[in-house]
Structure formats: structure tokens, C-alpha cells
Amino acid sequence: LGVRGAWAVVMGLARLNGLFAAYKPPGLKWLHLRDTVEQQLLKGLNAAEPSVPEQRVRFLLGPMEGNEEELALTATSVPTLTKHRLVCGPAFTSRKIGVGHRLDIQSSGVLVLGVGRGRRLLTDMYDAHLTKDYTVRGLLGKATDDFHEDGRLVEKTTYDHVTREKLDRILAVIQGSHQKALVMYSNLDLQSQEAYEMATRGVIRPMNKSPMLITGIRCLHFAPPEFLLEVQCMHETQQQLRKLVHEIGLELKTTAVCSQVRRTRDGFFTLDDALLRTHWDLHSIQDAIQAAAPRVAAELEKNLKPRLGTQELPSPSPSWNSEGLSSAMGAGSCAGH
């Protein structure tokens, strides 16, 4: 590359080390999103200022000056094209990108990615056991084989008896049970000063993988047959959230399916940070990484510090075979991210 082009590439690569968030729409696989981002980054890096070809001296046979009938060798400066991008191909052909807590194809929302050295920060995010926020939309009156609205219908029920008050009571029971489980998996002595300080800072977390833990759940909207929940949780999968809707329906003496799972926050990244597909380009991603870097460093330090020197619990054996609300309470769910 020319001097300006080479400098632009060096600066561009330096700004491509860190974390950023993208918005994954429903129907798009996370793997496709990652590959699309990589292609856009490579396109931007390879669009730097074209290289100036090196010059070399060659002796070319041509007519003598003043006597065109005789030939002579003349020293001429010609460009060397052996390193031209049309001969060698693009300078950048791959850029490793890591993906944080994944979203299945039916889900949407915040998806965190790590570029370059930022991939190591994804491991720190896992180790910090940060909570995530979801909005989960449910539909009363029917059940399907996969708990999703588009699944195979297996049952239809009435729901006229369901009220907002009954739903709120069920949600309060779920949250209370999960809060007890959170303390258990945090491996803390509840009488200790450490437990008190961590509780006041809101950083009580499980010390290892655990079943899905719900730290907060409430109803945002109730207009039967539809209802909208806000769920704050960790170690979840989107399928477990769909099953949670199914089990809430059973507790309400009816049935329910999930019509939407949308992640609105992943740790310290929110919807406001998530780049839409039209902004999955080099400069937008560089700016997003740089804007998030101070917050990433501060939040990881705050959330990882309380764990240093604390003994970890053995990972519970994963299962999801409890009936009714027991699995929604975290007593027998699969561990998942």
C-alpha cells in the first residue's frame, strides 16, 4: 500500500479490538450474522487507498532517436505489478469474530460480538455471569409441541377466567423461588459481610453454571389472549423462556404459547448499543467498539472482582424434566447461555 493507505490500515486494525453489539432480527441465524459482519469488515479494510506500484528499470528495444531505421536499447522506468492487488488478491481475507450469548433463529435482539483481542473479553463476560433482559410475548388459549406459536397445535383451551391479578401472583412466586436459588448457587454465607456488600451492589451471581435463574419478572401488558412479560435472567436459553410461558399457562389453568422472544439487554449492552443491519460496516463497528470500550472495562472489573478467591460450586447436572411450575422456578432446568 501507499504510505497513506498503509497508515489507514494500521489505524483501522488498531480500532478493531473489542466488543460491540448488533441487532439480530428474527429469522436470521447468528452464524449468518457473524459471517455477514466479517465480510463487511474485510470489504472496508480492503477498500484502503490503492497501492502505488514499485518502479524498476528495464531496457527496452526501440528505434534510435534521429534514426528510426536502427534499433537500440533504452533504459525505461516501468511499474512492477507482482504485488498489485489484482495480481495477489485482497490483502485481508479473514478476520476472526467471536459471538457471545447466542440467540436462536426465532429470537431477536442484542447479540454481542468480539473482534480481535475482544474475543477474550467474551470469556470474561461469561465468567461474570451477567444478567440479560428479555421481552417475552405470550398468547393464551392454545398449546403447541414446541411452545412456539408456529408449532404444531396440540390443544386449545378457554382463558376467560384468567386475570391480571392471577398472572401477577404466579410471577411473584416464580421470582421469589428463583431468588432463593440464586443465593444457593452463589455459594455465599448469608450471615457474612461479603454477602451483605454483594447484595447491596446487586452483584450476587452463581459461581458456576447453574439452571436458568430469573432475577426479575413482571407483566408489562395484559390484554387477553395476549400478554407481554419482561424477564431478567441468566444461564437461560430462548427455548426455556418459551417453556416458561407454557408453564405459566398451566398454572393459570389454561394453556399458553410464546409468540416472541426479544433480548433487550445482554450485560452492559442494550438495544441502544445494537447496530442495525444497515450499520454493519467497518467505520460504524470501529466507532461502536471505541464507544463501548471504557464501559466494558469498568463493568467487567466491577463484576469479576467479587469472584476472586471464592470457591466454585460443582456444575449441577442439567435436566429439564420437572413438571408444572417447578422447572420454571429453577429446580430442574438446563444450564444454558
Side-chain angles (χ1 to χ4, degrees):
L1 293 179
V3 175
R4 289 176 58 191
W7 178 249
V9 170
V10 171
M11 294 300 294
L13 289 175
R15 300 180 68 222
L16 273 182
N17 289 291
L19 301 179
F20 75 98
Y23 185 85
K24 189 193 89 66
L28 180 70
K29 294 181 179 180
W30 66 264
L31 184 61
H32 185 197
L33 186 153
R34 186 196 66 182
D35 291 346
T36 301
V37 168
E38 181 185 10
Q39 292 170 7
Q40 290 300 104
L41 290 181
L42 294 176
K43 180 180 177 181
L45 289 171
N46 286 317
E49 179 183 344
S51 59
V52 177
E54 295 180 1
Q55 300 290 317
R56 61 181 298 181
V57 176
R58 297 194 63 179
F59 291 93
L60 302 179
L61 186 64
M64 292 182 61
E65 185 177 353
N67 187 356
E68 296 183 357
E69 295 183 356
E70 295 187 17
L71 299 177
L73 292 174
T74 305
T76 307
S77 179
V78 296
T80 300
L81 301 179
T82 55
K83 296 182 180 180
H84 195 278
R85 66 174 57 181
L86 294 179
V87 176
C88 299
F92 298 92
T93 57
S94 68
R95 186 68 177 169
K96 292 185 177 180
I97 299 175
V99 178
H101 302 116
R102 297 170 183 174
L103 288 168
D104 62 28
I105 189 170
Q106 295 170 324
S107 305
S108 62
V110 179
L111 185 68
V112 180
L113 298 99
V115 185
R117 293 190 298 272
R119 290 179 297 149
R120 294 200 295 266
L121 298 176
L122 292 174
T123 302
D124 292 337
M125 283 191 68
Y126 276 108
D127 294 341
H129 301 279
L130 301 171
T131 59
K132 297 176 281 296
D133 288 351
Y134 290 85
T135 54
V136 181
R137 193 176 301 274
L139 189 66
L140 297 169
K142 65 178 184 178
T144 61
D145 59 343
D146 62 356
F147 316 123
H148 192 272
E149 182 183 18
D150 297 331
R152 181 175 59 85
L153 183 66
V154 296
E155 186 179 6
K156 295 187 73 174
T157 56
T158 61
Y159 52 85
D160 296 341
H161 61 284
V162 178
T163 64
R164 173 70 178 263
E165 291 72 25
K166 290 180 180 179
L167 175 59
D168 287 340
R169 283 200 296 270
I170 295 298
L171 300 183
V173 172
I174 293 174
Q175 181 168 326
S177 176
H178 277 260
Q179 286 176 342
K180 294 178 182 178
L182 176 61
V183 173
M184 179 184 70
Y185 283 105
S186 68
N187 199 24
L188 290 173
D189 179 3
L190 296 182
Q191 307 301 321
S192 66
Q193 180 69 18
E194 178 192 17
Y196 172 78
E197 292 176 355
M198 292 181 66
T200 56
R201 294 198 306 270
V203 292
I204 291 181
R205 301 285 187 271
M207 303 315 299
N208 207 338
K209 286 186 177 180
S210 71
M212 178 177 70
L213 294 173
I214 296 173
T215 58
I217 183 170
R218 65 188 180 115
C219 180
L220 297 178
H221 180 69
F222 183 76
E226 294 187 355
F227 61 94
L228 181 65
L229 305 178
E230 181 183 65
V231 183
Q232 186 180 75
C233 55
M234 63 183 71
H235 298 178
E236 81 294 337
T237 66
Q238 291 78 55
Q239 184 64 8
Q240 288 174 335
L241 293 173
R242 296 185 187 101
K243 186 170 185 179
L244 175 64
V245 171
H246 165 76
E247 292 175 340
I248 289 173
L250 296 180
E251 289 298 314
L252 291 170
K253 310 303 180 186
T254 183
T255 53
V257 293
C258 181
S259 59
Q260 182 189 61
V261 175
R262 185 182 190 222
R263 184 190 288 161
T264 58
R265 181 181 63 84
D266 186 351
F268 32 79
F269 287 96
T270 67
L271 284 175
D272 291 337
D273 304 310
L275 298 178
L276 299 177
R277 190 164 191 164
T278 53
H279 293 96
W280 295 351
D281 58 81
L282 176 63
H283 297 299
S284 296
I285 292 173
Q286 287 173 328
D287 292 343
I289 289 174
Q290 297 305 306
R295 179 159 41 99
V296 169
E299 291 291 333
L300 286 179
E301 181 181 6
K302 181 181 75 173
N303 286 279
L304 289 173
K305 188 175 180 180
R307 287 169 173 67
L308 299 178
T310 307
Q311 183 179 2
E312 292 187 352
L313 280 174
S315 176
S317 57
S319 63
W320 184 289
N321 51 19
S322 301
E323 297 181 358
L325 194 58
S326 60
S327 59
M329 293 179 178
S333 307
C334 311
H337 287 276

